[in-house]
């Protein structure tokens, strides 16, 4: 199939990340307003977020690969760098910029929909070793899942599989599974239920990067090194 132009792919990444951030943050604000029960709040926020994630991946994967995550884009570049068929470094930088822009725009949209300032810094401090470990685990398994499925020729399962893992990791890790630098930055721009203080962001992102590196290493161990030429049907979630 013909690869969509870079502007179309960047628009898909920005739009998908923005909608995902808006649902993630907006559902957190909504659940906090509707229930005083912490478990109900968390359940509602997680359910809305993973449903949106699955739908957005299914919709936009044919356009941009539906990364919505700088570490997924970086892993896609790294995995295909020898074959010359994936993202270039220039495209990787553009993808990351589009994702960060989308996350900020989505945070602003969510804030505005709930009559809050368009952008506001979160006051929720999230800074502790066990949280960083949780972020590394959540991100590492995410990368292993996405690229393991692709190596196995099962990329079509990604929408449900990725949404399923994020739901499980939200409940099974102490950090709540941010697992995405762009969305972590977006969360810092809303002083609400899902927020994170700007000062806590760098350590979270470093932990996510470390987890992604381990995840890529596990892909190589379990599925073998990436071939020089990746079949087109396996490349769908990397870049189209």
């Amino acid at each position: 199939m013909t690869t969509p132009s870079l502007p179309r792919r960047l628009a898909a990444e920005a739009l998908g990340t923005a909608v995902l951030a808006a649902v993630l943050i907006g559902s957190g604000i909504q659940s906090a307003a509707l229930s005083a029960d912490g478990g109900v709040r968390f359940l509602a926020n997680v359910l809305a977020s993973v449903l949106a994630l699955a739908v957005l991946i299914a919709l936009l994967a044919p356009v941009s690969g539906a990364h919505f995550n700088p570490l997924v884009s970086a892993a896609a570049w790294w995995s295909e760098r020898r074959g010359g068929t994936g993202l270039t470094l220039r495209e990787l930088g553009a993808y990351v910029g589009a994702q960060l822009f989308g996350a900020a725009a989505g945070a602003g949209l969510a804030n505005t929909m709930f009559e809050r300032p368009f952008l506001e810094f979160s006051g929720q401090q999230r800074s502790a070793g066990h949280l960083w470990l949780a972020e590394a685990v959540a991100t590492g398994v995410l990368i292993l899942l996405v690229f393991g499925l692709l190596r196995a020729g099962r990329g079509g399962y990604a929408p449900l599989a990725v949404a399923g893992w994020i739901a499980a990791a939200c409940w099974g890790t102490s950090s709540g599974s941010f697992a995405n630098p762009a969305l972590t930055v977006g969360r810092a721009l809303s002083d609400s239920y899902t927020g994170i203080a700007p000062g806590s962001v760098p350590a979270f992102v470093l932990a996510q990067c470390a987890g992604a590196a381990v995840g890529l290493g596990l892909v190589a161990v379990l599925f073998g090194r990436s071939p020089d030429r990746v079949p087109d049907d396996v490349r769908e979630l990397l870049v189209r």
Side-chain angles (χ1 to χ4, degrees):
M1 295 180 66
T2 303
T3 300
S5 66
L6 182 59
R8 284 179 59 196
R9 286 184 277 148
L10 296 181
E13 286 297 303
L15 176 63
T17 311
V19 173
L20 183 58
V23 172
L24 169 66
I25 294 169
S27 64
I29 297 173
Q30 184 82 290
S31 64
L34 294 176
S35 176
D37 188 302
V40 172
R41 290 179 178 183
F42 194 60
L43 177 62
N45 182 226
V46 171
L47 182 60
S49 300
V50 299
L51 287 175
L53 179 60
V55 169
L56 289 167
I57 292 174
L59 174 65
L60 296 175
V63 182
S64 68
H67 299 174
F68 314 143
N69 185 330
L71 292 177
V72 173
S73 298
W77 165 75
W78 180 262
S79 297
E80 292 200 3
R81 69 194 186 284
R82 293 192 303 272
T85 55
L87 294 174
T88 65
L89 271 177
R90 171 178 167 272
E91 290 173 331
L92 171 60
Y95 263 54
V96 172
Q99 292 155 358
L100 289 170
F101 173 80
L109 177 61
N111 288 334
T112 303
M113 287 192 295
F114 288 92
E115 298 184 303
R116 292 167 172 261
F118 181 73
L119 295 178
E120 55 180 356
F121 290 131
S122 173
Q124 291 198 52
Q125 298 292 330
R126 301 178 188 260
S127 182
H130 67 284
L131 300 179
W132 303 332
L133 175 61
E135 280 301 290
V137 170
T139 310
V141 176
L142 173 65
I143 296 299
L144 172 61
L145 174 65
V146 170
F147 292 90
L149 286 173
L150 290 169
R151 293 283 179 85
R154 296 183 176 181
Y157 291 103
L160 290 178
V162 170
W165 167 245
I166 293 300
C170 283
W171 284 96
T173 65
S174 58
S175 67
S177 182
F178 287 39
N180 182 330
L183 291 183
T184 303
V185 171
R187 288 176 183 235
L189 301 176
S190 179
D191 191 17
S192 58
Y193 178 75
T194 59
I196 178 173
S200 300
V201 169
F204 258 56
V205 172
L206 285 175
Q208 292 160 0
C209 290
V214 173
L216 269 181
L218 290 173
V219 172
V221 170
L222 297 175
F223 296 93
R225 295 181 62 84
S226 177
D228 290 340
R229 177 70 175 90
V230 179
D232 290 341
D233 58 342
V234 177
R235 296 175 57 239
E236 180 172 315
L237 293 184
L238 298 178
V239 61
R240 293 299 301 265

